[in-house]
Amino acid sequence: MAQVAQPVATTFFFYMLSGIAILSGVLVITRKNPVHSALALILTLLCVAGLYLMLYAPFVAGVQIILYVGGIMVLFLFVIMLVNIEQAEKQKQFNQQWLAGILAALALGALLVLIYVKGKAAFAFPPPPMPEADNTQRVGQLLYSNYMFPFEIASLLLLVAIIGAVVMAKKRI
Amino acid sequence: MPGFITNYLDKTVQMTPGQYGSPFWALVYILVVFGGVSLAVVCMNWLERKILAHMQVRLGPMRVGPHGLLQPIADALKLILKEDIVPEGADSFVFLLAPVIILLAVFSVYCVIPFGPTHAITDMNIGILFMLGVSSLGVLGIVMAGWASNSHYPLIGALRSSAQMVSYEIAMGLAVVSAVLMTSLNDSGTGTLSMIDIVKAQNAQHVWFVFKFFPLGLIAFFIFAVAMVAETNRAPFDLPEAESELTAGFHTEYSGLRWSLFMLGEYAAMIAVSSIAITLWLGGWMRPFPNALGGPNWDLAFSLFPALTFFGLAAMTFYSTMRMPKHAYFRIQTIGLGAFGALFALIGLILLVPPVRDRVQDVYWFIAKIAVFLYLYIWYRGTFPRYRFDQLMKVGWKVLLPMGIGVLMLTGIVGLRTEIWDFLQRLVHV
């Protein structure tokens, strides 16, 4: 008898991924060595990709890994490797504006609590029946039908950024 | 037997263990794939040395065992027993982590490789995206290894490697997209990223995608075939470890077991990218000519191939056994080689049994195609001179990338030719 696969240990994986994401997020700002910070950031991004998978968004998870971890973070590391790290380690890591920082954190916390309390009504979506089976196809169809214009605008913006980067980096073209 | 073992063995189950949701069988498949890949890497190591040697009119390893057959085992023993050195001044945590990252990235890719319609660990909706994404994590390991060594050659090797892999990933991605585009030529009009469904689409369209829209599929395959050599840092694109310039590139400072992990990762990555190419363009697990030479008689004929291959190997081994020197010193080696041949013949006989024969066919054709690719890898290394780094970048950005974009656009146009023709006709008649 063929059965449909059921998710295994969902709660456990959710708490594990979120825990690692938060822990490595803290490591990003507390490590003195920028390479270690970048590696911790990679771990955070991978955990977030795992959380996307748990939200039945495999396409977003795959793109997160390809773009952020495989592309952007490699370039980050590429640049950091060329920085003089010993000098960077001597510099001051935190500034003294702890009052403003606490206020901002409190404001964000209050916002999150508000969403948590009020959000159940605002974001009430029914659980999708067998969602991940054609998630990618749905994303593609929406991007090329309803959201064609924003999609093209975004790609034009990226093209402008590419040309701008080439113009600024190359003296003689 | 417990239900979690028996229920997957049901004949009606036509799913991978991952889809079926059977952790036990998924684990079994993972262990089989891991062991098989490691064994393949060992064989590949010996074959590469022998084939390269014969291409250069040398003998290659001949001392350890008959024809150097036990050389990989001797090498592995040596590497395990060697001292594991972490250089002074190296960032030891990152230094020790780097080879592990490479291995993790490479072996995660094997989760979605379809060795047969049900012979995969799992099938994902985003299969090909997952493969490209996870295999691009391997560059992280290389960058970490190069930086953490705190030495000049590794750093330069890592910089070269990251620049090279990031640039060839783009051409590779474009070639993959044009193949994925071809899967959408069905009634529903939506393509698929799942590895198993890509092969099924080729079956439904009665053509390997390498021959689809000739020569568009062939060009896309060519772009991928060049980019995948660059992605795995193999000759003629092995700039990150160019031994005449950088001693050994990013793994110069590694020794012993950790160095061998890099080698394992490199060869496993070669198998992984070859299987992406096979799945996308060469019909995955399908045997040659499933439609032109269809019918039960041809099915039977092609299903004998696995056994025949092993009988051929056995015959070769027995022939070599007869040609071994007759001196008493070689007696143990001769007996061992004969036993090896007998083992091959036994495997061939087992593969003749009808249930085994039918189950093994898909896996056999997939592995046979991989073997062709691996031979090509060795052949490239034996024949092509190494590129200079600026030439490498020029090929990537100025040749492969425009070609990839052109092929992608042409594939779209040819795929929609009837719709475009209708649209043009309507324009004329209005």
Side-chain angles (χ1 to χ4, degrees):
Chain A
M1 184 195 74
Q3 68 188 27
V4 174
Q6 291 299 320
V8 184
T10 316
T11 332
F12 167 73
F13 280 116
F14 173 75
Y15 282 113
M16 189 183 82
L17 287 171
S18 332
I20 297 176
I22 292 172
L23 199 68
S24 49
V26 171
L27 282 180
V28 174
I29 53 170
T30 51
R31 292 291 89 190
K32 281 225 155 205
N33 190 329
V35 172
H36 292 176
S37 296
L39 292 177
L41 185 54
I42 288 169
L43 194 57
T44 315
L45 292 172
L46 281 178
C47 288
V48 173
L51 288 176
Y52 286 145
L53 270 187
M54 300 194 62
L55 290 171
Y56 297 112
F59 181 73
V60 184
V63 169
Q64 163 98 355
I65 292 179
I66 290 186
L67 284 186
Y68 282 93
V69 185
I72 294 178
M73 287 316 294
V74 170
L75 292 180
F76 259 48
L77 277 175
F78 194 91
V79 173
I80 292 173
M81 283 196 308
L82 301 176
V83 174
N84 190 349
I85 284 188
E86 280 163 24
Q87 199 187 352
E89 281 187 358
K90 283 185 200 122
Q91 282 173 352
K92 214 165 45 157
Q93 202 172 4
F94 299 102
N95 59 19
Q96 302 299 316
Q97 297 172 331
W98 50 271
L99 192 65
I102 286 179
L103 283 179
L106 278 181
L108 181 66
L111 186 66
L112 289 178
V113 168
L114 193 69
I115 289 173
Y116 183 73
V117 173
K118 298 238 173 183
K120 267 185 187 160
F123 297 104
F125 297 120
M130 183 53 193
E132 79 247 65
D134 53 5
N135 169 281
T136 315
Q137 282 83 345
R138 296 261 176 88
V139 170
Q141 278 166 350
L142 280 180
L143 273 186
Y144 283 100
S145 55
N146 293 8
Y147 301 100
M148 188 78 188
F149 188 64
F151 180 70
E152 292 295 333
I153 292 286
S155 47
L156 197 67
L157 195 67
L158 285 175
L159 185 68
V160 170
I162 293 171
I163 295 173
V166 172
V167 167
M168 288 207 289
K170 275 243 177 202
K171 297 227 166 44
R172 187 174 55 83
I173 298 170
Chain B
M1 258 191 285
F4 62 88
I5 296 178
T6 49
N7 62 358
Y8 183 69
L9 293 175
D10 194 336
K11 281 246 164 68
T12 56
V13 175
Q14 291 293 323
M15 275 191 273
T16 58
Q19 279 173 301
Y20 186 70
S22 162
F24 173 78
W25 281 102
L27 188 66
V28 171
Y29 273 48
I30 288 171
L31 289 178
V32 168
V33 169
F34 188 82
V37 171
S38 307
L39 186 69
V41 169
V42 171
C43 297
M44 174 78 183
N45 187 332
W46 180 78
L47 277 175
E48 175 161 32
R49 292 177 71 174
K50 282 306 254 194
I51 294 171
L52 270 184
H54 285 295
M55 281 178 182
Q56 296 161 352
V57 203
R58 296 184 284 120
L59 282 177
M62 284 300 278
R63 298 280 168 167
V64 192
H67 292 270
L69 264 178
L70 301 179
Q71 186 71 46
I73 297 170
D75 282 350
L77 268 181
K78 182 197 79 175
L79 286 171
I80 289 169
L81 295 177
K82 266 175 90 169
E83 188 187 355
D84 186 15
I85 300 169
V86 179
E88 204 183 319
D91 189 320
S92 61
F93 177 69
V94 182
F95 187 83
L96 300 181
L97 194 65
V100 181
I101 297 259
I102 289 188
L103 268 200
L104 274 180
V106 169
F107 278 101
S108 308
V109 170
Y110 285 92
C111 276
V112 288
I113 291 180
F115 295 96
T118 57
H119 297 119
I121 293 165
T122 186
D123 183 34
M124 285 191 201
N125 179 244
I126 49 159
I128 185 72
L129 267 186
F130 176 83
M131 285 188 92
L132 290 179
V134 173
S135 63
S136 72
L137 294 187
V139 68
L140 279 179
I142 293 180
V143 169
M144 283 162 67
W147 175 79
S149 299
N150 198 15
S151 159
H152 294 114
Y153 290 141
L155 185 64
I156 296 172
L159 285 179
R160 280 183 175 186
S161 163
S162 49
Q164 172 181 335
M165 286 171 93
V166 168
S167 8
Y168 276 79
E169 226 160 60
I170 300 170
M172 198 176 195
L174 283 173
V176 166
V177 170
S178 78
V180 170
L181 205 56
M182 287 175 181
T183 63
S184 68
L185 296 170
N186 52 16
D187 294 334
S188 68
T190 42
T192 176
L193 293 172
S194 138
M195 300 294 273
I196 288 184
D197 287 347
I198 287 173
V199 181
K200 282 184 178 161
Q202 298 182 47
N203 196 12
Q205 299 181 22
H206 302 296
V207 64
W208 288 2
F209 282 159
V210 68
F211 300 121
K212 182 107 185 167
F213 299 152
F214 191 81
L216 289 181
L218 192 64
I219 299 175
F221 172 70
F222 170 77
I223 295 171
F224 189 91
V226 174
M228 80 184 199
V229 180
E231 279 285 299
T232 44
N233 294 329
R234 290 280 299 183
F237 300 112
D238 55 347
L239 273 299
E241 40 197 291
E243 61 270 12
S244 51
E245 305 155 25
L246 298 177
T247 51
F250 59 89
H251 53 63
T252 306
E253 303 288 348
Y254 282 84
S255 63
L257 190 61
R258 286 180 199 283
W259 180 85
S260 70
L261 290 185
F262 277 115
M263 284 296 115
L264 179 62
E266 183 182 323
Y267 285 96
M270 281 157 59
I271 300 177
V273 287
S274 308
S275 42
I276 300 183
I278 289 160
T279 312
L280 285 177
W281 283 283
L282 296 180
W285 63 77
M286 284 191 288
R287 67 177 174 82
F289 312 112
N291 299 308
L293 302 181
N297 287 337
W298 282 109
D299 277 344
L300 181 67
F302 275 102
S303 69
L304 294 178
F305 265 83
L308 287 181
T309 310
F310 272 92
F311 286 139
L313 282 175
M316 270 167 64
T317 318
F318 285 134
Y319 181 65
S320 303
T321 315
M322 305 233 293
R323 286 189 50 189
M324 283 293 278
K326 296 288 181 271
H327 194 273
Y329 177 72
F330 289 101
R331 190 171 294 145
I332 295 175
Q333 293 199 5
T334 314
I335 293 171
L337 197 59
F340 205 53
L343 185 70
F344 276 141
L346 183 68
I347 294 175
L349 279 180
I350 292 174
L351 290 181
L352 275 182
V353 182
V356 180
R357 198 173 68 196
D358 295 338
R359 285 286 171 92
V360 161
Q361 265 195 75
D362 315 316
V363 182
Y364 170 78
W365 287 112
F366 199 87
I367 289 174
K369 290 170 187 173
I370 289 181
V372 172
F373 269 85
L374 293 184
Y375 183 76
L376 280 178
Y377 265 114
I378 301 172
W379 199 355
Y380 295 156
R381 190 174 166 190
T383 45
F384 287 130
R386 183 178 295 134
Y387 275 89
R388 224 170 49 221
F389 197 70
D390 59 322
Q391 293 171 329
L392 173 96
M393 282 294 158
K394 201 180 264 178
V395 169
W397 287 102
K398 294 188 177 169
V399 180
L400 291 185
L401 183 62
M403 264 167 76
I405 295 177
V407 166
L408 181 58
M409 283 162 61
L410 283 176
T411 311
I413 291 172
V414 177
L416 287 175
R417 59 190 181 280
T418 49
E419 283 87 344
I420 293 174
W421 183 241
D422 288 347
F423 179 71
L424 287 179
Q425 275 188 328
R426 255 184 290 146
L427 273 191
V428 170
H429 289 302
V430 167

